[in-house]
Coordinates of all heavy atoms in Angstrom, one line a residue:
M1 N 22.3 159.8 148.3 CA 22.6 158.6 149.1 C 22.9 157.4 148.2 O 22.1 157.2 147.3 CB 21.5 158.3 150.1 CG 21.3 159.4 151.1 SD 22.7 159.6 152.3 CE 22.2 158.2 153.4
P2 N 23.9 156.7 148.5 CA 24.3 155.6 147.5 C 23.5 154.3 147.7 O 22.8 154.1 148.7 CB 25.7 155.4 147.9 CG 25.8 155.7 149.3 CD 24.8 156.8 149.5
Y3 N 23.7 153.4 146.8 CA 23.2 152.1 146.9 C 24.3 151.2 147.5 O 25.5 151.6 147.5 CB 22.8 151.5 145.5 CG 21.4 152.0 145.2 CD1 21.1 153.3 144.9 CD2 20.3 151.1 145.1 CE1 19.8 153.8 144.6 CE2 19.0 151.5 144.8 CZ 18.8 152.9 144.6 OH 17.5 153.3 144.3
V4 N 23.9 150.0 148.0 CA 24.8 149.1 148.7 C 24.7 147.7 148.2 O 23.6 147.2 148.0 CB 24.5 149.1 150.2 CG1 25.3 148.1 151.0 CG2 24.7 150.5 150.8
I5 N 25.8 147.0 148.0 CA 25.8 145.6 147.6 C 26.0 144.8 148.8 O 26.8 145.1 149.7 CB 26.9 145.3 146.5 CG1 26.6 146.1 145.3 CG2 26.9 143.8 146.2 CD1 27.6 145.9 144.1
T6 N 25.2 143.7 148.9 CA 25.2 142.9 150.1 C 25.6 141.4 149.8 O 26.0 141.1 148.7 CB 23.8 143.0 150.8 OG1 22.9 142.4 150.0 CG2 23.5 144.4 151.2
E7 N 25.4 140.6 150.8 CA 25.9 139.2 150.9 C 25.5 138.4 149.7 O 26.2 137.4 149.3 CB 25.5 138.6 152.2 CG 26.1 137.2 152.4 CD 25.9 136.7 153.8 OE1 25.9 137.6 154.8 OE2 25.6 135.5 154.0
G8 N 24.3 138.6 149.1 CA 23.9 137.8 147.9 C 24.9 137.8 146.8 O 24.8 136.9 145.9
C9 N 25.7 138.8 146.7 CA 26.7 138.9 145.6 C 27.9 138.0 145.8 O 28.6 137.6 144.9 CB 27.2 140.3 145.4 SG 28.4 140.6 144.1
V10 N 28.2 137.6 147.1 CA 29.4 136.9 147.4 C 29.5 135.6 146.6 O 28.6 134.8 146.6 CB 29.5 136.6 148.9 CG1 30.7 135.8 149.3 CG2 29.5 137.9 149.7
D11 N 30.6 135.5 145.9 CA 31.0 134.3 145.1 C 30.1 134.2 143.9 O 30.2 133.1 143.2 CB 31.0 133.0 145.9 CG 32.0 133.1 147.0 OD1 33.1 133.7 146.8 OD2 31.8 132.4 148.0
I12 N 29.2 135.2 143.6 CA 28.4 135.1 142.4 C 29.0 136.1 141.3 O 29.5 135.6 140.3 CB 26.9 135.6 142.7 CG1 26.3 134.7 143.7 CG2 26.1 135.6 141.4 CD1 26.1 133.2 143.3
M13 N 29.0 137.4 141.6 CA 29.8 138.3 140.8 C 29.6 138.2 139.3 O 30.6 138.2 138.6 CB 31.3 138.1 141.1 CG 31.7 138.2 142.6 SD 33.4 137.8 143.0 CE 34.2 139.3 142.4
D14 N 28.4 138.2 138.9 CA 28.1 138.1 137.5 C 28.2 139.4 136.7 O 28.2 139.5 135.5 CB 26.7 137.5 137.2 CG 25.6 138.5 137.6 OD1 25.6 138.9 138.8 OD2 24.8 138.8 136.8
K15 N 28.3 140.5 137.5 CA 28.6 141.9 137.0 C 27.4 142.5 136.2 O 27.6 143.4 135.5 CB 29.9 141.9 136.1 CG 31.1 141.4 136.8 CD 32.3 141.6 135.9 CE 33.5 140.8 136.4 NZ 34.7 140.9 135.5
S16 N 26.2 141.9 136.3 CA 25.1 142.5 135.7 C 24.9 144.0 136.1 O 24.5 144.9 135.3 CB 23.8 141.8 136.0 OG 23.9 140.4 135.5
C17 N 25.1 144.3 137.4 CA 25.0 145.6 137.9 C 26.0 146.6 137.3 O 25.7 147.7 136.9 CB 25.1 145.6 139.4 SG 26.7 144.9 140.0
M18 N 27.2 146.1 137.1 CA 28.3 146.9 136.6 C 27.9 147.4 135.2 O 28.2 148.5 134.8 CB 29.5 146.0 136.5 CG 30.7 146.6 137.2 SD 32.1 145.4 137.1 CE 33.4 146.5 137.0
E19 N 27.3 146.5 134.4 CA 27.0 146.8 133.0 C 26.0 147.9 132.9 O 25.9 148.7 132.0 CB 26.5 145.6 132.3 CG 27.5 144.5 132.1 CD 26.9 143.2 131.6 OE1 25.8 143.2 131.2 OE2 27.7 142.2 131.6
Q20 N 25.1 148.1 134.0 CA 24.1 149.1 134.0 C 24.5 150.4 134.6 O 23.8 151.4 134.4 CB 22.9 148.5 134.7 CG 22.2 147.3 134.2 CD 21.8 147.5 132.7 OE1 21.2 148.5 132.4 NE2 22.0 146.5 131.9
C21 N 25.6 150.4 135.3 CA 25.9 151.6 136.1 C 26.5 152.8 135.2 O 27.6 152.6 134.6 CB 27.0 151.2 137.1 SG 27.4 152.7 138.2
P22 N 25.8 153.9 135.1 CA 26.3 155.0 134.3 C 27.4 155.8 134.9 O 28.1 156.5 134.3 CB 25.0 155.9 134.2 CG 24.3 155.6 135.5 CD 24.5 154.2 135.8
A23 N 27.7 155.6 136.2 CA 28.7 156.3 136.9 C 30.0 155.4 137.0 O 31.0 155.9 137.5 CB 28.3 156.7 138.3
D24 N 29.9 154.2 136.6 CA 31.1 153.3 136.7 C 31.7 153.2 138.1 O 32.9 153.3 138.3 CB 32.2 153.7 135.6 CG 33.2 152.6 135.4 OD1 33.0 151.5 135.8 OD2 34.3 153.0 134.9
C25 N 30.8 153.2 139.0 CA 31.2 153.3 140.4 C 31.1 151.9 141.2 O 31.1 151.9 142.4 CB 30.4 154.3 141.2 SG 28.7 154.0 141.3
I26 N 30.9 150.8 140.4 CA 30.9 149.5 141.0 C 32.2 148.8 140.7 O 32.6 148.7 139.5 CB 29.7 148.7 140.4 CG1 28.4 149.5 140.7 CG2 29.6 147.3 141.1 CD1 27.1 148.8 140.1
Y27 N 32.8 148.3 141.7 CA 34.2 147.7 141.6 C 34.2 146.3 142.0 O 33.4 145.8 142.9 CB 35.1 148.5 142.5 CG 35.3 149.9 142.1 CD1 34.3 150.9 142.3 CD2 36.6 150.3 141.6 CE1 34.6 152.2 141.9 CE2 36.8 151.6 141.2 CZ 35.8 152.6 141.4 OH 36.0 153.9 141.0
E28 N 35.0 145.5 141.4 CA 35.1 144.0 141.6 C 36.2 143.7 142.6 O 37.4 143.9 142.4 CB 35.4 143.3 140.3 CG 35.4 141.8 140.4 CD 35.8 141.1 139.1 OE1 36.1 141.8 138.1 OE2 35.8 139.9 139.1
G29 N 35.7 143.3 143.8 CA 36.7 142.8 144.8 C 37.0 141.3 144.6 O 36.7 140.8 143.5
G30 N 37.6 140.7 145.6 CA 38.0 139.3 145.5 C 36.8 138.4 145.4 O 36.8 137.4 144.7
R31 N 35.7 138.6 146.3 CA 34.6 137.7 146.3 C 33.2 138.4 146.1 O 32.2 137.7 146.1 CB 34.6 137.0 147.7 CG 35.8 136.1 147.8 CD 35.8 135.3 149.1 NE 34.6 134.5 149.2 CZ 34.2 133.9 150.4 NH1 34.8 134.1 151.5 NH2 33.1 133.1 150.4
M32 N 33.2 139.7 146.1 CA 31.9 140.4 145.7 C 32.2 141.7 145.1 O 33.4 142.1 145.1 CB 31.0 140.5 146.9 CG 31.5 141.4 148.0 SD 30.2 141.8 149.3 CE 29.5 143.3 148.6
L33 N 31.2 142.4 144.6 CA 31.4 143.7 144.1 C 31.0 144.7 145.1 O 30.2 144.4 146.0 CB 30.5 143.9 142.8 CG 31.2 143.4 141.5 CD1 31.5 141.9 141.5 CD2 30.4 143.8 140.3
Y34 N 31.5 145.9 145.0 CA 31.3 147.0 146.0 C 30.9 148.3 145.2 O 31.5 148.6 144.2 CB 32.5 147.2 146.8 CG 33.0 146.0 147.6 CD1 33.8 145.1 147.0 CD2 32.6 145.8 148.9 CE1 34.2 143.9 147.7 CE2 33.0 144.7 149.7 CZ 33.8 143.8 149.0 OH 34.2 142.7 149.7
I35 N 30.0 149.1 145.8 CA 29.7 150.4 145.3 C 30.4 151.5 146.0 O 30.3 151.6 147.3 CB 28.2 150.6 145.4 CG1 27.4 149.6 144.4 CG2 27.8 152.1 145.0 CD1 25.9 149.6 144.6
N36 N 31.1 152.3 145.3 CA 31.8 153.4 145.9 C 30.8 154.5 146.3 O 30.2 155.1 145.4 CB 32.8 154.0 145.0 CG 33.7 155.1 145.6 OD1 33.3 155.8 146.5 ND2 35.0 155.2 145.2
P37 N 30.6 154.7 147.6 CA 29.5 155.7 148.0 C 29.8 157.1 147.6 O 28.9 157.9 147.5 CB 29.5 155.5 149.6 CG 30.8 154.9 149.9 CD 31.3 154.1 148.7
D38 N 31.1 157.4 147.4 CA 31.4 158.8 146.9 C 31.2 159.0 145.5 O 31.2 160.2 145.0 CB 32.9 159.1 147.2 CG 33.2 159.1 148.7 OD1 32.3 159.4 149.5 OD2 34.3 158.8 149.1
E39 N 31.0 157.9 144.7 CA 30.9 158.1 143.2 C 29.5 157.7 142.8 O 29.1 158.1 141.6 CB 31.9 157.2 142.5 CG 33.3 157.6 142.8 CD 34.3 156.6 142.1 OE1 34.0 155.4 141.9 OE2 35.5 157.0 141.9
C40 N 28.7 157.0 143.6 CA 27.3 156.6 143.2 C 26.4 157.8 143.1 O 26.4 158.7 143.9 CB 26.8 155.7 144.3 SG 25.1 155.2 144.0
I41 N 25.7 157.9 141.9 CA 24.8 159.0 141.7 C 23.4 158.7 142.0 O 22.5 159.5 141.6 CB 24.9 159.5 140.2 CG1 24.6 158.4 139.2 CG2 26.4 160.1 140.0 CD1 24.5 158.9 137.8
D42 N 23.1 157.6 142.7 CA 21.8 157.3 143.2 C 20.8 157.1 142.1 O 19.6 157.5 142.3 CB 21.4 158.4 144.2 CG 20.3 158.0 145.1 OD1 20.0 156.8 145.2 OD2 19.6 158.9 145.7
C43 N 21.1 156.5 141.0 CA 20.2 156.4 139.9 C 19.3 155.2 140.0 O 18.2 155.1 139.4 CB 20.9 156.3 138.5 SG 21.8 154.8 138.2
G44 N 19.8 154.1 140.7 CA 19.0 153.0 141.0 C 19.0 151.9 139.9 O 18.3 150.9 140.0
A45 N 19.8 152.1 138.8 CA 19.8 151.2 137.7 C 20.4 149.8 138.1 O 20.0 148.8 137.5 CB 20.6 151.8 136.6
C46 N 21.2 149.7 139.1 CA 21.8 148.5 139.4 C 20.9 147.5 140.2 O 21.0 146.3 140.1 CB 23.1 148.7 140.3 SG 22.7 149.8 141.7
E47 N 20.0 148.1 140.9 CA 19.1 147.2 141.8 C 18.3 146.2 141.0 O 18.4 145.0 141.3 CB 18.2 148.1 142.6 CG 17.4 147.3 143.6 CD 16.4 148.2 144.4 OE1 16.5 149.4 144.3 OE2 15.7 147.6 145.2
P48 N 17.5 146.6 140.0 CA 16.7 145.6 139.3 C 17.6 144.7 138.4 O 17.1 143.6 138.0 CB 15.8 146.4 138.4 CG 16.5 147.7 138.3 CD 17.2 148.0 139.5
A49 N 18.8 145.0 138.1 CA 19.7 144.2 137.3 C 20.3 143.0 138.0 O 20.8 142.1 137.4 CB 20.9 145.1 136.7
C50 N 20.2 143.0 139.3 CA 20.9 142.0 140.1 C 20.0 140.7 140.3 O 18.9 140.8 140.9 CB 21.2 142.5 141.5 SG 22.0 141.3 142.6
P51 N 20.4 139.6 139.8 CA 19.6 138.4 139.9 C 19.6 137.8 141.3 O 18.7 137.0 141.6 CB 20.4 137.4 138.9 CG 21.8 137.9 138.9 CD 21.7 139.4 139.0
Q52 N 20.5 138.3 142.1 CA 20.5 137.8 143.5 C 19.7 138.7 144.5 O 19.7 138.4 145.7 CB 22.0 137.8 144.0 CG 22.9 136.8 143.2 CD 22.4 135.4 143.5 OE1 21.9 134.7 142.6 NE2 22.6 134.9 144.7
E53 N 19.2 139.8 143.9 CA 18.5 140.8 144.8 C 19.4 141.2 145.9 O 19.0 141.3 147.1 CB 17.2 140.3 145.3 CG 16.2 140.0 144.2 CD 14.8 139.5 144.6 OE1 14.6 139.4 145.8 OE2 14.0 139.4 143.8
A54 N 20.7 141.5 145.6 CA 21.7 141.8 146.6 C 21.9 143.3 146.7 O 22.7 143.7 147.6 CB 23.0 141.1 146.2
V55 N 21.3 144.1 145.9 CA 21.5 145.5 145.9 C 20.4 146.3 146.5 O 19.2 146.0 146.2 CB 21.7 146.1 144.4 CG1 22.1 147.6 144.5 CG2 22.8 145.3 143.7
F56 N 20.7 147.2 147.4 CA 19.6 147.9 148.1 C 20.0 149.4 148.2 O 21.2 149.7 148.3 CB 19.5 147.4 149.6 CG 19.1 146.0 149.7 CD1 20.0 145.0 149.8 CD2 17.7 145.7 149.7 CE1 19.6 143.7 149.9 CE2 17.3 144.4 149.9 CZ 18.3 143.3 149.9
H57 N 19.0 150.3 148.2 CA 19.2 151.7 148.6 C 19.7 151.7 150.0 O 19.3 150.9 150.8 CB 18.0 152.5 148.4 CG 18.2 154.0 148.6 ND1 18.1 154.6 149.8 CD2 18.6 154.9 147.7 CE1 18.4 155.8 149.7 NE2 18.7 156.1 148.4
I58 N 20.6 152.6 150.3 CA 21.2 152.6 151.7 C 20.2 152.7 152.8 O 20.4 152.2 153.9 CB 22.3 153.7 151.8 CG1 23.1 153.6 153.0 CG2 21.6 155.1 151.7 CD1 24.3 154.5 153.0
D59 N 19.1 153.3 152.5 CA 18.0 153.5 153.5 C 17.1 152.2 153.7 O 16.3 152.2 154.6 CB 17.1 154.7 153.2 CG 17.8 156.0 153.4 OD1 18.8 156.0 154.1 OD2 17.4 157.0 152.8
L60 N 17.3 151.3 152.7 CA 16.4 150.1 152.7 C 17.2 148.8 152.9 O 16.7 147.7 152.6 CB 15.7 150.1 151.4 CG 14.7 151.3 151.2 CD1 14.1 151.2 149.8 CD2 13.6 151.3 152.2
V61 N 18.4 148.9 153.4 CA 19.2 147.7 153.6 C 18.6 146.9 154.8 O 18.4 147.5 155.9 CB 20.7 148.0 154.0 CG1 21.5 146.8 154.3 CG2 21.3 148.8 152.8
P62 N 18.2 145.6 154.6 CA 17.6 144.9 155.7 C 18.5 144.8 156.9 O 19.8 144.8 156.8 CB 17.5 143.5 155.1 CG 17.4 143.7 153.6 CD 18.4 144.8 153.4
E63 N 17.9 144.8 158.1 CA 18.7 144.8 159.3 C 19.8 143.8 159.4 O 20.9 144.0 159.8 CB 17.7 144.6 160.5 CG 18.4 144.6 161.9 CD 19.1 145.9 162.2 OE1 18.6 147.0 161.7 OE2 20.1 145.8 163.0
E64 N 19.5 142.5 158.9 CA 20.4 141.5 159.0 C 21.6 141.6 158.1 O 22.6 140.9 158.2 CB 19.8 140.1 158.8 CG 19.2 139.9 157.4 CD 17.8 140.4 157.2 OE1 17.4 141.2 158.0 OE2 17.2 139.9 156.2
L65 N 21.5 142.6 157.1 CA 22.6 142.9 156.2 C 23.2 144.3 156.4 O 24.0 144.7 155.6 CB 22.0 142.8 154.7 CG 21.5 141.4 154.3 CD1 20.8 141.6 152.9 CD2 22.6 140.4 154.2
S66 N 22.9 144.9 157.5 CA 23.3 146.3 157.8 C 24.8 146.4 157.8 O 25.3 147.5 157.5 CB 22.7 146.8 159.1 OG 23.1 146.0 160.2
D67 N 25.6 145.4 158.2 CA 27.0 145.5 158.2 C 27.6 145.8 156.8 O 28.7 146.3 156.6 CB 27.7 144.3 158.7 CG 27.5 144.1 160.2 OD1 27.0 145.1 160.9 OD2 27.8 143.1 160.8
Y68 N 26.8 145.5 155.7 CA 27.3 145.7 154.4 C 27.4 147.1 154.0 O 28.1 147.5 153.1 CB 26.5 144.8 153.4 CG 26.9 143.4 153.4 CD1 26.4 142.5 154.4 CD2 27.9 142.9 152.6 CE1 26.8 141.2 154.5 CE2 28.4 141.6 152.7 CZ 27.8 140.8 153.6 OH 28.3 139.5 153.7
T69 N 26.6 148.0 154.7 CA 26.8 149.4 154.4 C 28.2 149.9 154.7 O 28.8 150.5 153.8 CB 25.7 150.2 155.2 OG1 24.4 149.8 154.8 CG2 25.9 151.7 154.9
A70 N 28.7 149.5 155.8 CA 30.0 149.9 156.2 C 31.1 149.1 155.3 O 32.1 149.7 155.0 CB 30.3 149.6 157.7
A71 N 30.7 147.9 155.0 CA 31.6 147.1 154.2 C 31.9 147.8 152.8 O 33.0 147.8 152.3 CB 31.1 145.7 154.0
N72 N 30.8 148.3 152.2 CA 31.0 149.0 150.9 C 31.9 150.3 151.1 O 32.6 150.6 150.2 CB 29.6 149.4 150.3 CG 29.0 148.2 149.6 OD1 28.9 148.2 148.3 ND2 28.5 147.2 150.3
E73 N 31.8 150.9 152.2 CA 32.6 152.1 152.5 C 34.0 151.7 152.7 O 35.0 152.3 152.2 CB 32.0 152.9 153.6 CG 30.7 153.5 153.4 CD 30.1 154.2 154.6 OE1 30.8 154.3 155.7 OE2 28.9 154.5 154.6
T74 N 34.3 150.8 153.7 CA 35.6 150.5 154.1 C 36.4 149.8 153.0 O 37.7 150.0 152.9 CB 35.6 149.6 155.3 OG1 34.9 148.4 155.1 CG2 35.0 150.3 156.5
F75 N 35.7 149.1 152.1 CA 36.5 148.5 150.9 C 37.3 149.6 150.2 O 38.4 149.3 149.9 CB 35.5 147.9 150.0 CG 36.1 147.3 148.7 CD1 36.8 146.1 148.7 CD2 36.1 148.1 147.6 CE1 37.4 145.6 147.5 CE2 36.7 147.6 146.4 CZ 37.4 146.4 146.4
F76 N 36.7 150.8 150.0 CA 37.4 151.8 149.2 C 38.5 152.5 150.0 O 39.5 153.0 149.4 CB 36.4 152.8 148.6 CG 35.5 152.1 147.6 CD1 34.3 151.6 147.9 CD2 36.0 151.9 146.3 CE1 33.5 150.9 147.0 CE2 35.2 151.3 145.4 CZ 34.0 150.7 145.7
V77 N 38.3 152.5 151.3 CA 39.4 153.1 152.2 C 40.6 152.1 152.2 O 41.7 152.5 152.0 CB 38.9 153.3 153.6 CG1 40.0 153.7 154.5 CG2 37.8 154.3 153.6
E78 N 40.3 150.8 152.3 CA 41.3 149.8 152.5 C 42.0 149.5 151.1 O 43.2 149.3 151.1 CB 40.7 148.5 153.0 CG 40.2 148.7 154.5 CD 39.4 147.5 155.0 OE1 39.1 146.6 154.2 OE2 39.0 147.5 156.1
A79 N 41.2 149.5 150.0 CA 41.8 149.1 148.7 C 42.3 150.3 148.0 O 43.1 150.2 147.0 CB 40.7 148.4 147.9
S80 N 41.9 151.5 148.5 CA 42.4 152.8 147.9 C 42.3 152.8 146.4 O 43.2 153.0 145.6 CB 43.9 153.0 148.3 OG 44.3 154.3 147.9
V81 N 41.0 152.6 145.9 CA 40.8 152.5 144.5 C 39.6 153.5 144.2 O 38.7 153.6 145.0 CB 40.5 151.1 144.0 CG1 39.3 150.5 144.6 CG2 40.4 151.0 142.5
R82 N 39.7 154.1 143.0 CA 38.6 155.0 142.6 C 38.7 155.3 141.1 O 39.5 154.7 140.4 CB 38.7 156.4 143.4 CG 40.1 157.0 143.3 CD 40.2 158.2 144.2 NE 39.2 159.2 143.8 CZ 38.2 159.6 144.6 NH1 38.0 159.0 145.8 NH2 37.3 160.5 144.2
D83 N 37.9 156.2 140.6 CA 38.0 156.6 139.2 C 37.6 155.5 138.2 O 38.1 155.5 137.1 CB 39.3 157.2 138.8 CG 39.7 158.4 139.6 OD1 38.7 159.1 140.0 OD2 40.8 158.7 139.9
G84 N 36.7 154.6 138.6 CA 36.1 153.7 137.6 C 36.4 152.2 137.8 O 37.5 151.8 137.8
G85 N 35.3 151.5 138.0 CA 35.4 150.1 138.3 C 35.8 149.3 137.0 O 36.5 148.3 137.2
R86 N 35.4 149.7 135.9 CA 35.7 148.9 134.7 C 37.2 148.9 134.4 O 37.8 147.9 134.1 CB 34.9 149.4 133.5 CG 33.4 149.3 133.7 CD 32.6 149.7 132.4 NE 31.2 149.6 132.7 CZ 30.4 150.6 132.9 NH1 30.9 151.8 133.0 NH2 29.1 150.5 133.2
A87 N 37.8 150.0 134.5 CA 39.2 150.1 134.3 C 40.0 149.5 135.4 O 41.1 148.9 135.2 CB 39.6 151.6 134.1
A88 N 39.5 149.6 136.6 CA 40.2 149.0 137.7 C 40.4 147.5 137.7 O 41.4 146.9 138.1 CB 39.5 149.4 139.0
G89 N 39.4 146.8 137.1 CA 39.5 145.4 137.0 C 39.3 144.7 138.4 O 38.9 145.3 139.3
K90 N 39.7 143.5 138.5 CA 39.6 142.7 139.7 C 40.6 143.2 140.7 O 41.8 143.3 140.4 CB 39.7 141.2 139.5 CG 39.3 140.4 140.7 CD 39.4 138.9 140.3 CE 39.0 138.1 141.5 NZ 37.5 138.1 141.8
I91 N 40.1 143.5 141.9 CA 41.0 143.9 143.0 C 41.0 142.8 144.1 O 39.9 142.4 144.6 CB 40.4 145.2 143.6 CG1 40.3 146.3 142.6 CG2 41.2 145.7 144.8 CD1 39.2 147.3 142.8
N92 N 42.1 142.3 144.4 CA 42.2 141.2 145.3 C 42.1 141.6 146.8 O 43.1 141.5 147.5 CB 43.5 140.4 145.0 CG 43.4 139.6 143.8 OD1 42.3 139.0 143.5 ND2 44.4 139.5 143.0
H93 N 40.9 142.1 147.1 CA 40.7 142.6 148.5 C 39.2 142.4 148.8 O 38.4 142.5 147.8 CB 41.1 144.0 148.7 CG 40.9 144.5 150.1 ND1 41.7 144.1 151.1 CD2 39.9 145.3 150.6 CE1 41.2 144.7 152.2 NE2 40.2 145.4 152.0
D94 N 38.8 142.2 150.0 CA 37.4 142.1 150.4 C 37.3 142.7 151.8 O 38.3 142.7 152.6 CB 36.9 140.7 150.5 CG 36.5 140.2 149.1 OD1 35.6 140.8 148.5 OD2 37.2 139.3 148.6
A95 N 36.1 143.2 152.1 CA 35.8 143.7 153.5 C 35.9 142.4 154.4 O 35.7 141.3 154.0 CB 34.4 144.2 153.5
A96 N 36.3 142.7 155.7 CA 36.5 141.6 156.6 C 35.3 140.7 156.7 O 35.5 139.4 156.8 CB 36.9 142.2 158.0
I97 N 34.1 141.2 156.7 CA 32.9 140.4 156.9 C 32.7 139.4 155.7 O 32.0 138.4 155.8 CB 31.6 141.2 157.2 CG1 31.3 142.1 156.0 CG2 31.7 141.9 158.5 CD1 29.9 142.7 156.1
V98 N 33.3 139.8 154.6 CA 33.2 138.9 153.4 C 34.3 137.9 153.4 O 34.0 136.7 153.1 CB 33.3 139.8 152.1 CG1 33.3 138.9 150.9 CG2 32.1 140.8 152.1
S99 N 35.5 138.2 153.8 CA 36.6 137.3 153.8 C 36.3 136.1 154.7 O 36.8 135.0 154.4 CB 37.9 138.0 154.3 OG 38.2 139.1 153.4
V100 N 35.6 136.3 155.8 CA 35.4 135.2 156.7 C 34.2 134.2 156.3 O 34.0 133.2 156.9 CB 35.2 135.7 158.1 CG1 36.4 136.5 158.6 CG2 33.9 136.5 158.2
L101 N 33.5 134.6 155.3 CA 32.3 133.7 154.9 C 32.8 132.5 154.3 O 33.8 132.5 153.5 CB 31.4 134.5 153.9 CG 30.6 135.7 154.5 CD1 29.9 136.4 153.3 CD2 29.6 135.2 155.5
P102 N 32.2 131.3 154.5 CA 32.5 130.1 153.8 C 32.3 130.3 152.3 O 31.4 131.0 151.9 CB 31.6 129.1 154.4 CG 30.5 129.8 155.0 CD 31.0 131.2 155.4
M103 N 33.1 129.6 151.5 CA 33.0 129.7 150.0 C 31.7 129.2 149.6 O 31.2 128.1 150.0 CB 34.1 128.9 149.3 CG 34.3 129.3 147.9 SD 34.9 131.0 147.6 CE 36.6 130.9 148.2
R104 N 31.0 130.0 148.7 CA 29.7 129.5 148.2 C 29.9 128.7 147.0 O 30.6 129.0 146.1 CB 28.8 130.7 147.8 CG 27.4 130.4 147.5 CD 26.8 131.5 146.6 NE 26.8 132.8 147.2 CZ 25.8 133.4 147.7 NH1 24.6 132.9 147.7 NH2 25.9 134.7 148.1
V105 N 29.2 127.5 146.9 CA 29.3 126.7 145.7 C 28.2 127.1 144.8 O 27.0 127.2 145.1 CB 29.0 125.2 146.1 CG1 29.1 124.3 144.8 CG2 30.1 124.7 147.1
K106 N 28.6 127.6 143.6 CA 27.6 128.1 142.6 C 26.8 127.0 142.0 O 27.2 125.9 141.8 CB 28.4 128.8 141.5 CG 29.0 130.1 142.0 CD 29.7 130.9 140.8 CE 30.5 132.0 141.3 NZ 31.2 132.7 140.3
Ligands
LIG1 S1 22.6 153.5 141.9 FE1 23.3 154.0 139.8 S2 25.2 155.1 140.1 FE2 24.8 154.0 142.0 S3 25.9 152.1 141.8 FE3 23.7 151.8 141.1 S4 23.8 152.0 138.9 FE4 25.7 152.9 139.8
LIG2 S1 24.3 142.0 139.7 FE1 24.2 141.4 141.9 S2 25.2 139.3 142.0 FE2 25.7 140.3 140.0 S3 27.7 141.3 140.5 FE3 26.1 142.8 140.8 S4 25.6 142.7 142.9 FE4 26.7 140.9 142.5

């Protein structure tokens, strides 16, 4: 079962999680990063690396952030990207629940 990135990443995107991921399954969208559920090997390395505490195991996503489980899945259906987040670079697409959020001032 994969890990999930949630709202705390929106407009932060410091990529600390990406640097730790041995499966290269974290991809950079327009306003947040997304974990490909088909590529994640469930190692857990990304969770403690996140300064925003935005990463959760899929079974432990807080109720108020539960829409992000589907958001991480649909991102890869809509953006049609796979085979490595580092090579993919920035993808100018976001899940709908992310696109409608007000811009966060860092
Ligand atoms: S759990 Fe491991 S494989 Fe999955 S996204 Fe996090 S670092 Fe990558
Ligand atoms: S470490 Fe957290 S805030 Fe930084 S890019 Fe990854 S999920 Fe987003």
